[in-house]
C-alpha cells in the first residue's frame, strides 16, 4: 500500500508560493517520511510571475525531497474584476473541477492545504471527504480581523472611515485599533471587502488554520480567537538562508555587508520596502533630507518606479537624479544608498544594524524579529497598517508608525521632519525611551522566536500535533482497508 500524501495548493505569486511551499516542506520534514507532498500548480495568469515560479519549481523538484508537482489545466481568466483579491479568488474558483479530479486521481490523500485566498477549493475537498486546512501567511491579528468582518462591515465600508480620528476597530486580543490602521486591502473597494469576508467565513469550515507566527509573538490575539473558529496552528517563524543565499554569504561578501562591516555596532538604520516597494521622486527627496538631518548612519535600499509591464521596481540607475543635489557627498562615509536588490536577511543579521524602517510586510517583520532588530513601521499596502499597529501597540517592538495618517488624501507620504524625528526616536539610544523599549522588546522576541521553533518549543510542538492529526485523520484510515 502506498504512503499517504498531503496535497498543497499554493497561490501562483512568487512570494505567496514560496511561503506556502515552505509550510508544506516543514510538514513533510516533521512527518519524517510518513507521507509525501503533492503540490498542485495553477498556471500563473501573468508571464512575469510564471517565470519566477517555474524557477522555484525546478529548484525544488531537483532538491531530492519527497515532493511531486502536478500542473493543473489552464482556465479562462475571470473578467470585470475590480481588484487583485477578487481576481485571485475567482481565478482559483475556476480551477475547482480540476483540483477535484487531481485529488480524486491520487491514492490516499491525508489532507489538502490551500493558500488563504483559495477557500473556493474547499468544496472539492469536502466532496471527496478529505480534511481541508488553510495556510495563512499573515499574522494571526489579520486572521482575527478577517473572522470579524461580518460584524465590522457597517463601519469598515463606510465612506471616509479610515480618516475618522475617534473611530476604532475591535480586533480581539489587540487594544482598540484606530481607524487609520485599517488594512488598505479592505477599504480599496466594497468588492475587496466582500471577498475578504467570504474567505473569513469559509475559514470556519477548515479543519485547522496554519499560521506563520508563534504563540509567544501573538499570545493575546491567539487566545482571543472565537471559540467556534477552527484550531490555529502557530508553526512559525523559521528563517533560513537558501543555498543560493549561502553562496552569496561566502566571500566576497555583498557590498552592503562589507560596508556594514566597517560601521560601529547597532549604529545603522536600515531602510527597505521589500522586493516590490518603491518611492516616487518627491518622497525620495524627503527621505534623503530626513536621514541626513537625523545624523544617524543609514543603509538605504532605494528602488525607483517599475518599468512599464514589470511588477518590480527598477534599479535606480539615476541615483544622482533622484537624490537632492550634494546628498551623496554630504553623507559619504555615514550613509550608503544601494539601488538594487540587497540581501535583507544578511543585513538584518549584521551587528551594525540598529533599526529597520520597514513597510511591515509580514515576512520582513518576522525576519527583523528573528534578528532582534527594532522597527520603525511605514505601512504601504495589503494588511501592513494593521501589522504596524500590532508591532507598536501589541508587541511593543516598534516606535510609532510613519505615514499612517490617512487624512486629506495624504496617503502614506512622509515629510522629512517626520522621518527625522522618528529615526531619532528609533535610534536615539538612552535619550529615547520609546526606542530603548522597542530595542529591549525586540531582543526578547528574538529569543522567543528561536525558542519557539527549537526542540520542545511551542511552534515545533504545534507542527508535531498537526502532523499527528493529519496522520490520524478519520478520512485516511491507516489500516489500509480504504483507498480512494
Ligand atoms: C514564515 O516567514 C518567514 C519569514 O519571512 C519565511 O522565511 C518562511 O518561509 C515563512 N513560512 C514558514 C512556513 O515558516
Amino acid at each position: 500500500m502506498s504512503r499517504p500524501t498531503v496535497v498543497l495548493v499554493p497561490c501562483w505569486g512568487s512570494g505567496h508560493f514560496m511561503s506556502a511551499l515552505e509550510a508544506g516542506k516543514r510538514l513533510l520534514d516533521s512527518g519524517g517520511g510518513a507521507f509525501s507532498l503533492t503540490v498542485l500548480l495553477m498556471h500563473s495568469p501573468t508571464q512575469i510571475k510564471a517565470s519566477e515560479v517555474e524557477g522555484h519549481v525546478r529548484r525544488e523538484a531537483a532538491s531530492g525531497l519527497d515532493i511531486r508537482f502536478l500542473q493543473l489545466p489552464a482556465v479562462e481568466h475571470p473578467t470585470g474584476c475590480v481588484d487583485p483579491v477578487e481576481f485571485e479568488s475567482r481565478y482559483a474558483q475556476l480551477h475547482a473541477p480540476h483540483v477535484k479530479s487531481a485529488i480524486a486521481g491520487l491514492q490516499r490523500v491525508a489532507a489538502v492545504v490551500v493558500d488563504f485566498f483559495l477557500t473556493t477549493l474547499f468544496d472539492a475537498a469536502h466532496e471527496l471527504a478529505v480534511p481541508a486546512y488553510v495556510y495563512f501567511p499573515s499574522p494571526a491579528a489579520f486572521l482575527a480581523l478577517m473572522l470579524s468582518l461580518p460584524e465590522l462591515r457597517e463601519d469598515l465600508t463606510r465612506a471616509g472611515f479610515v480618516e475618522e480620528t475617534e473611530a476604532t476597530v475591535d480586533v480581539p486580543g489587540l487594544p482598540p485599533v484606530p481607524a487609520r490602521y485599517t488594512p488598505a486591502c479592505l477599504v480599496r473597494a466594497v468588492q475587496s471587502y466582500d471577498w475578504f469576508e467570504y474567505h473569513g467565513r469559509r475559514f470556519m469550515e477548515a479543519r485547522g488554520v496554519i499560521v506563520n507566527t508563534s504563540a509567544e509573538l501573538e499570545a493575546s490575539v491567539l487566545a482571543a480567537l472565537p471559540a467556534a473558529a477552527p484550531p490555529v496552528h502557530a508553526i512559525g517563524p523559521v528563517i533560513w538562508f537558501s543555498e543560493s543565499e549561502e553562496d552569496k554569504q561566502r566571500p566576497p561578501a555583498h557590498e552592503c555587508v562589507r560596508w556594514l562591516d566597517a560601521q560601529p555596532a547597532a549604529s545603522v538604520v536600515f531602510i527597505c520596502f521589500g522586493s516590490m516597494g518603491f518611492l516616487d521622486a518627491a518622497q525620495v527627496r524627503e527621505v534623503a533630507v530626513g536621514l541626513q538631518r537625523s545624523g544617524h548612519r543609514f543603509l538605504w535600499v532605494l528602488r525607483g518606479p517599475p518599468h512599464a509591464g514589470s511588477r518590480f521596481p527598477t534599479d535606480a540607475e539615476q541615483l544622482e537624479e533622484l537624490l537632492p543635489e550634494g546628498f551623496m557627498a554630504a553623507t559619504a562615509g555615514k550613509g550608503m544608498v544601494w539601488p538594487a536588490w540587497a540581501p535583507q536577511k544578511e543585513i538584518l543579521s549584521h551587528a551594525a544594524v540598529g533599526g529597520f524602517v520597514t513597510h511591515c510586510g509580514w515576512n520582513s517583520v518576522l525576519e527583523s524579529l528573528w534578528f532582534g532588530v527594532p522597527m520603525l513601521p511605514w505601512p504601504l499596502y495589503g494588511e501592513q497598517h494593521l501589522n504596524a499597529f500590532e508591532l507598536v501597540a501589541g508587541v511593543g517592538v516598534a516606535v510609532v508608525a510613519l505615514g499612517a495618517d490617512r487624512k486629506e488624501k495624504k496617503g502614506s507620504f512622509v515629510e522629512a521632519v517626520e522621518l527625522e524625528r522618528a529615526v531619532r526616536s528609533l535610534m536615539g539610544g538612552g535619550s529615547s525611551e520609546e526606542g530603548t523599549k522597542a530595542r529591549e522588546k525586540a531582543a526578547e522576541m528574538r529569543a522567543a522566536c528561536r525558542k519557539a521553533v527549537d526542540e520542545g518549543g511551542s511552534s515545533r510542538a504545534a507542527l508535531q500535533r498537526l502532523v499527528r492529526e493529519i496522520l490520524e485523520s478519520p478520512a485516511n484510515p491507516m489500516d489500509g482497508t480504504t483507498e480512494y
Side-chain angles (χ1 to χ4, degrees), residues 241-292:
F241 292 95
S242 69
E243 268 168 48
S244 56
E245 283 162 328
E246 272 161 20
D247 281 347
K248 288 185 194 113
Q249 278 186 301
R250 295 200 188 99
H254 191 270
E255 210 171 317
C256 290
V257 174
R258 273 184 288 152
W259 183 80
L260 286 171
D261 286 341
Q263 310 303 320
S267 69
V268 175
V269 57
F270 172 47
I271 303 151
C272 180
F273 296 103
S275 53
M276 291 188 315
F278 66 91
L279 306 175
D280 66 20
Q283 184 64 84
V284 168
R285 267 191 304 280
E286 296 296 314
V287 172
V289 174
L291 281 176
Q292 191 177 346

Side-chain angles (χ1 to χ4, degrees), residues 54-67 69 243:
E54 279 160 21
H56 296 317
V57 169
R58 257 198 312 277
R59 270 192 300 280
E60 296 297 340
S63 70
L65 289 173
D66 201 356
I67 308 178
F69 291 93
E243 268 168 48

Side-chain angles (χ1 to χ4, degrees), residues 10-21 88 115-117 135 137:
C11 220
W12 47 89
S14 176
H16 278 204
F17 180 85
M18 284 312 286
S19 187
L21 190 60
E88 286 172 20
D115 210 341
F116 78 136
F117 285 153
Y135 175 65

Side-chain angles (χ1 to χ4, degrees), residues 18-20 22-24 26 135 137 212 235-240 345 362-364 366-367:
M18 284 312 286
S19 187
E22 194 52 35
R26 307 234 359 248
Y135 175 65
N212 196 3
I235 64 158
V238 170
I239 314 286
W240 45 265
K345 283 181 276 198
W362 192 237
N363 284 344
S364 290
L366 291 176
E367 289 175 12

